[in-house]
């Protein structure tokens, strides 16, 4: 999609659809909307009076201009209550406008930068959120269907219109950032929506290797075994699909920050086989890896001045004659031995070795992202990711980064009292408990044993990586969650 910025009066812009806005409860529009209303001989004010335009968040009303403006149609989108306005509303509004544009098959759209005027958001921030909303909101997974219906209609161009020439540069800066972020989020969604027979560890490794400005090392099963990553390989060995442990390095010096993403490209549960209902959804068990991979792409494009390593332990978790069994004891890169209680608690096993690998590289901070526990879905649903860690400062910073990025993170505790749940009779630790309490925390506490005293935060995205039903600017399916939060955090 072409997105550009133009210094012009909105009354002069030729397009199929011109987007203006209104706050809820206003009787008389202001700014650009007032200018358009005047050209339309007071149509907008009349529609407010008649109650058709209320300004409720994401409400859309289309008016035919019938030659009164160079634009063929005008869309008035609701910004909601001005007292509740914040940056994420811009994404919601942009997405609602794009959905309407698609519905009426408007190829060329022009829009004002919502939120920058009466909304009180800085111009570059508003432009960035607008473009994120446009790109994330109009995403559709292309898929493999041979027959494409109307839902595949694509808006060709969006022009952000600003009257004052002096402001164009700062809008353009926001557009550039918003475009990079929006594209990365959508790339991550493509990886997560993609079927497990196509989005294999090998595919992810090839994708990582293509990113400019990143050094990539890939270990196969044999190499990973030689290094001593048996916690990872004991999961991987149960599948014929070749495993890939991917290390992506950005920056000149020694990495300070590690981003670790769970890359289980299909989680059948292993010998502790999952029930078949919704099993196909387990193709999304590499959402953490997808988020880290795309965040690495972003930081390379943005030339962030930090040394960062992305670690993606990728493999399938399958039942097979060579698969690990409940009751097995394996060693890990850390030296700790692990008793397998459930082969379905494989995420923490591949993550444990990836975390130790990061520690051996000498990083000061570890942020891990994983679809780790079904219990996190029960606890928080799909609107917030679970976050826990040993550094309250890092947790706070990530929650704050999520707020600007439009992704909610909710802290869960790592209670001392539950430490004993990881104790095994025959090994240093066991990979899970059988009583099924405090699932996200038990998962987090297991990882903590491998993190030790390195500053660390763990983000459980089991509920947020994939929406069974779309909401706001996110459609049903993969969300690309954490690309925005991680990028916003790393940009500070
Ligand atoms: N990949 C799953 C977690 C998951 C569940 C992600 C639902 C997305 C949606 C993970 O590997 C898993 O199976 N965890 C087990 C842990 C248990 C055996 C301690 C779970 O949640 O049941
Ligand atoms: Zn599992
Ligand atoms: Zn899993």
């Amino acid at each position: 999609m072409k997105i550009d910025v133009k210094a012009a009066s909105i009354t002069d812009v030729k397009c199929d659809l011109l987007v203006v806005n209104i706050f809820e409860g206003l009787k008389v529009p202001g700014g650009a909307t007032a200018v358009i209303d005047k050209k339309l001989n007071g149509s907008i004010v009349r529609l407010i009076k008649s109650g058709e335009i209320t300004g409720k968040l994401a409400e859309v009303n289309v008016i035919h201009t019938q030659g009164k403006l160079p634009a063929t149609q005008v869309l008035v989108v609701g910004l909601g209550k001005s007292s509740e306005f914040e940056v994420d509303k811009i994404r919601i509004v942009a997405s609602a406008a794009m959905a309407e544009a698609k519905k009426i098959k408007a190829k060329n759209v022009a829009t004002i930068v919502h939120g920058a005027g009466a909304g009180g958001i800085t111009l570059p921030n508003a432009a960035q959120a607008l473009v994120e909303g446009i790109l994330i909101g109009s995403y559709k997974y292309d898929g493999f269907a041979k027959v494409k219906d109307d839902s595949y209609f694509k808006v060709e161009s969006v022009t952000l219109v600003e009257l004052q020439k002096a402001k164009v540069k700062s809008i353009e800066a926001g557009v550039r950032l918003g475009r990079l972020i929006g594209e990365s989020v959508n790339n991550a969604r493509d990886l997560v929506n993609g079927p497990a027979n196509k989005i294999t560890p090998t595919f992810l490794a090839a994708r990582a290797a293509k990113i400019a400005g990143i050094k990539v090392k890939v270990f196969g099963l044999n190499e990973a075994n030689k290094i001593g990553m048996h916690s990872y390989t004991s999961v991987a060995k149960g599948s014929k699909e070749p495993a890939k442990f991917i290390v992506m390095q950005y920056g000149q010096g020694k990495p300070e920050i590690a981003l670790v993403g769970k890359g289980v490209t299909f989680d059948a549960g292993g010998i502790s086989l999952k029930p078949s209902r919704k099993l196909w959804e387990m193709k999304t068990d590499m959402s953490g890896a997808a988020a880290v991979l795309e965040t690495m792409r972003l930081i390379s494009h943005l030339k962030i001045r930090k040394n960062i390593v992305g670690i993606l332990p990728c493999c399938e978790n399958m039942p097979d004659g060579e698969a690990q069994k409940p009751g097995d004891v394996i060693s890990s890169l850390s030296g700790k031995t692990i008793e397998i209680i459930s082969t379905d608690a494989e995420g923490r096993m591949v993550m444990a070795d990836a975390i130790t690998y990061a520690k051996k590289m000498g990083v000061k901070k570890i942020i891990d992202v994983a679809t780790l526990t079904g219990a996190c879905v029960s606890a928080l649903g799909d609107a917030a990711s679970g976050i826990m860690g040993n550094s309250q400062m890092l947790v706070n910073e990530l929650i704050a980064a999520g707020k600007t990025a439009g992704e909610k993170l909710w802290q869960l505790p790592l209670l001392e009292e539950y430490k004993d749940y990881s104790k095994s009779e025959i090994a240093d630790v066991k990979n899970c408990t059988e009583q099924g309490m405090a699932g996200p925390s038990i998962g987090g506490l297991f990882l903590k044993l491998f993190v030790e005293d390195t500053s660390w935060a763990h983000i459980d995205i089991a509920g947020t990586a994939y929406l069974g039903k779309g909401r706001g600017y996110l459609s049903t399916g993969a969300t690309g969650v954490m690309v925005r939060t991680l990028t916003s955090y790393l940009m500070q």
Side-chain angles (χ1 to χ4, degrees):
M1 188 189 302
K2 200 170 139 246
I3 301 177
D4 56 11
V5 186
K6 195 169 167 182
S9 163
I10 41 160
T11 54
D12 296 335
V13 180
K14 196 170 154 34
C15 58
D16 299 318
L17 186 67
L18 173 65
V19 185
V20 293
N21 63 40
I22 187 144
F23 275 114
E24 186 175 343
L26 280 190
K27 292 277 169 281
V28 189
T33 312
V35 175
I36 293 299
D37 182 51
K38 208 163 158 205
K39 285 277 178 193
L40 296 176
N41 302 334
S43 291
I44 297 177
V45 169
R46 274 196 299 279
L47 288 167
I48 294 172
K49 268 203 187 118
S50 70
E52 265 161 274
I53 294 180
T54 69
K56 280 205 170 63
L57 184 64
E59 172 196 87
V60 285
N61 275 282
V62 174
I63 304 166
H64 291 261
T65 63
Q66 287 164 341
K68 295 189 196 88
L69 280 167
T72 314
Q73 299 187 70
V74 165
L75 168 62
V76 185
V77 64
L79 297 179
K81 293 197 179 80
S82 66
S83 59
E84 288 170 9
F85 195 74
E86 39 99 25
V87 72
D88 204 39
K89 301 279 161 58
I90 301 176
R91 298 187 188 93
I92 296 175
V93 162
S95 158
M98 290 306 286
E100 189 63 19
K102 189 172 172 170
K103 200 169 127 196
I104 64 174
K105 297 207 167 54
K107 278 192 187 143
N108 303 302
V109 177
T111 180
I112 58 166
V113 182
H114 310 296
I121 314 260
T122 67
L123 204 48
N125 286 354
Q128 180 193 334
L130 178 64
V131 173
E132 286 176 15
I134 289 170
L135 292 175
I136 298 171
S138 49
Y139 171 83
K140 177 161 172 69
Y141 180 58
D142 274 339
F144 303 88
K146 294 271 193 269
V147 186
K148 308 264 180 198
D149 61 17
D150 272 6
S151 67
Y152 288 87
F153 176 86
K154 283 194 171 104
V155 173
E156 284 168 14
S157 74
V158 180
T159 306
L160 279 59
V161 187
E162 165 58 47
L163 188 58
Q164 290 167 264
K165 227 183 173 145
K167 291 183 174 170
V168 167
K169 275 247 151 10
S170 77
I171 297 178
E172 275 170 349
V175 168
R176 177 173 177 265
L177 189 52
R179 174 188 275 290
L180 279 171
I181 293 175
E183 283 171 354
S184 280
V185 169
N186 289 348
N187 288 346
R189 293 162 96 184
D190 276 347
L191 293 176
V192 175
N193 281 325
N197 63 333
K198 305 231 187 280
I199 313 298
T200 58
T202 306
F203 182 93
L204 292 174
R207 183 62 93 82
K210 271 201 205 112
I211 300 174
I214 307 257
K215 262 195 300 199
V216 176
K217 257 197 278 187
V218 180
F219 305 114
L221 191 70
N222 291 338
E223 291 151 301
N225 263 328
K226 267 188 212 133
I227 299 171
M229 299 196 283
H230 303 295
S231 183
Y232 163 66
T233 59
S234 70
V235 175
K237 70 182 181 161
S239 172
K240 292 270 184 296
E241 188 61 52
K244 304 284 169 190
F245 189 97
I246 308 167
V247 182
M248 306 173 73
Q249 214 174 322
Y250 170 80
Q252 299 309 317
K254 214 169 90 170
E256 321 144 60
I257 306 176
L259 307 177
V260 184
K262 173 175 171 183
V264 175
T265 54
F266 190 73
D267 180 11
I271 296 299
S272 313
L273 191 62
K274 283 182 181 296
S276 63
R277 199 181 147 274
K278 281 208 176 176
L279 190 50
W280 60 271
E281 255 188 29
M282 282 303 123
K283 70 176 182 178
T284 69
D285 212 19
M286 35 55 76
S287 299
V292 170
L293 194 150
E294 281 303 319
T295 304
M296 295 303 289
R297 186 187 88 96
L298 263 173
I299 58 178
S300 173
H301 273 82
L302 297 171
K303 300 201 164 53
I304 285 177
R305 292 164 69 121
K306 282 181 183 143
N307 297 321
I308 303 170
V309 61
I311 304 181
L312 321 176
C314 300
C315 64
E316 283 185 347
N317 184 27
M318 296 285 276
D320 172 273
E322 282 182 59
Q324 63 175 345
K325 303 170 292 295
D328 283 359
V329 174
I330 52 104
S331 63
S332 66
L333 183 60
S334 71
K336 289 188 174 74
T337 54
I338 306 171
E339 181 190 7
I340 315 301
I341 299 300
S342 169
T343 64
D344 198 12
E346 86 299 341
R348 59 198 74 184
M349 300 196 52
V350 304
M351 295 297 274
D353 273 348
I355 285 168
T356 310
Y357 191 92
K359 276 176 65 93
K360 286 190 186 285
M361 287 183 93
V363 301
K364 302 221 159 40
K365 256 184 226 168
I366 299 173
I367 303 169
D368 84 70
V369 186
T371 45
L372 206 73
T373 65
C376 195
V377 192
S378 306
L380 298 175
D382 59 14
S385 305
I387 183 166
M388 47 216 107
N390 61 5
S391 159
Q392 193 55 45
M393 192 164 103
L394 180 57
V395 168
N396 290 348
E397 285 168 352
L398 284 163
I399 293 174
K403 198 163 165 33
T404 13
E407 293 179 330
K408 290 198 170 91
L409 293 134
W410 200 269
Q411 189 171 7
L412 298 168
L414 292 170
L415 299 176
E416 282 280 306
E417 287 85 340
Y418 302 154
K419 266 183 11 200
D420 283 355
Y421 288 155
S422 296
K423 285 215 171 109
S424 158
E425 299 290 326
I426 61 165
D428 294 323
V429 293
K430 57 184 183 189
N431 77 337
C432 64
T433 65
E434 256 153 1
Q435 68 262 41
M437 294 194 303
S441 304
I442 304 288
L445 283 164
F446 179 87
L447 296 180
K448 191 169 176 240
L449 293 170
F450 297 85
V451 168
E452 297 169 318
D453 49 14
T454 306
S455 188
W456 159 76
H458 157 61
I459 305 174
D460 194 331
I461 57 168
T464 49
Y466 194 89
L467 296 182
K469 190 174 183 301
R471 185 189 312 111
Y473 49 87
L474 290 169
S475 52
T476 301
T479 59
V481 74
M482 286 307 126
V483 171
R484 285 183 279 152
T485 300
L486 291 177
T487 307
S488 157
Y489 169 76
L490 294 168
M491 278 178 63
Q492 284 156 22

